[in-house]
Amino acid sequence: MTTTATPTTTAGPFGGSAINHSRTTATAARVLRQLRHDPRTIALMILIPCVMLFLLRYVFDGSPRTFDSIGASLLGIFPLITMFLVTSIATLRERTSGTLERLLAMPLGKGDLIAGYALAFGALAIIQSALATGLAVWFLGLDVTGSPWLLLLVALLDALLGTALGLFVSAFASSEFQAVQFMPAVIFPQLLLCGLFTPRSAMHPALEAISDVLPMSYAVDGMNEVLKHTDMTATFVRDALIVAGCALLVLALGAATLRRRTP
């Protein structure tokens, strides 16, 4: 008697359905093949954070301590912003072109699709975060007390959070222009309230309370922990877990709100 192997699935939070590993990896491979033929998008994702850090370093050329104080925070913020933009537009393009509708007509669940996109863009996020961290620490002279590997970890988590946010908001946009319009609503408030410009404890109590529920606040806090402490602190672990948890939550919401096509 012969037995037939069945595809491996894992119950997951994405839309309440199981994740099929083979379909997820096939989706990720398809997205990466498409991106390979789009060098401008790859350049935006991988090079722009490095270029922004390079410019920032020499904007504060006469005050290197200023670069040290905000460079680590921006090392996490720049990847988040670029991954948000690229992912939201790329996913929306799939839907408006009818590709998404054809894919979901096959035995491909929403969870498989979202996880595949997250896997593909996550692979690029690793490259992006590694290049930006290496540039900031070993070339631009960013002075950090802790391990650069912890900086890389937070930068990667921030990039994955940006990917998750981009996948989520793409469900509510009907054009690429609308997808870009979500940036002021989703990113800018977090940028203002994350503690980059002033300590969150110095804000108005209402704004401080809002900042306490925004994931970018914990990304900046995590970077600051590496900036000030030689060892991994409990606060750093908490911040990293919160950013990772927010990314998973937003991915689950993205799977739940994913539409087959734009009306």
Side-chain angles (χ1 to χ4, degrees):
M1 183 177 64
T2 60
T3 58
T4 303
T6 58
T8 304
T9 59
T10 301
F14 302 107
S17 61
I19 300 297
N20 183 294
H21 291 171
S22 61
R23 293 170 187 166
T24 297
T25 54
T27 299
R30 180 185 63 81
V31 173
L32 289 174
R33 284 196 301 269
Q34 289 179 331
L35 288 173
R36 186 180 62 184
H37 300 292
D38 190 356
R40 287 177 296 182
T41 299
I42 294 176
L44 176 64
M45 285 189 291
I46 294 178
L47 297 181
I48 291 300
C50 295
V51 172
M52 297 300 291
L53 285 169
F54 186 86
L55 290 175
L56 184 70
R57 168 63 183 85
Y58 291 102
V59 165
F60 296 110
D61 192 37
S63 180
R65 286 192 175 184
T66 303
F67 176 71
D68 290 337
S69 64
I70 67 173
S73 299
L74 291 175
L75 182 60
I77 292 174
F78 286 155
L80 189 155
I81 293 174
T82 55
M83 294 304 291
F84 171 84
L85 282 173
V86 172
T87 308
S88 60
I89 292 174
T91 309
L92 181 64
R93 191 178 298 165
E94 292 269 76
R95 197 169 68 242
T96 55
S97 66
T99 302
L100 187 60
E101 185 178 12
R102 293 192 295 271
L103 288 172
L104 292 178
M106 302 188 297
L108 180 71
K110 292 183 178 181
D112 300 325
L113 188 71
I114 291 294
Y117 268 90
L119 186 61
F121 284 105
L124 292 173
I126 293 174
I127 300 173
Q128 178 196 71
S129 302
L131 287 175
T133 302
L135 174 71
V137 175
W138 289 294
F139 184 78
L140 299 179
L142 180 66
D143 186 16
V144 294
T145 303
S147 170
W149 294 105
L150 296 180
L151 281 183
L152 174 60
L153 173 62
V154 180
L156 176 58
L157 291 175
D158 290 343
L160 293 175
L161 176 63
T163 298
L165 289 170
L167 290 169
F168 175 62
V169 303
S170 67
F172 303 99
S174 58
S175 67
E176 294 181 11
F177 179 67
Q178 285 189 3
V180 174
Q181 285 181 313
F182 274 105
M183 185 173 172
V186 176
I187 301 297
F188 286 179
Q190 296 193 67
L191 187 62
L192 292 174
L193 299 177
C194 68
L196 176 64
F197 302 105
T198 186
R200 292 193 290 128
S201 58
M203 297 178 185
H204 187 280
L207 294 181
E208 183 182 2
I210 294 173
S211 73
D212 287 341
V213 299
L214 298 177
M216 192 182 290
S217 299
Y218 297 95
V220 171
D221 287 349
M223 287 295 193
N224 287 334
E225 285 294 304
V226 181
L227 198 65
K228 299 174 183 176
H229 301 281
T230 56
D231 299 321
M232 183 187 299
T233 64
T235 302
F236 173 86
V237 174
R238 181 207 65 184
D239 294 337
L241 289 176
I242 289 175
V243 175
C246 287
L248 289 175
L249 175 62
V250 175
L251 282 175
L253 292 173
T257 57
L258 182 66
R259 293 179 293 168
R260 291 177 181 268
R261 62 180 176 179
T262 298

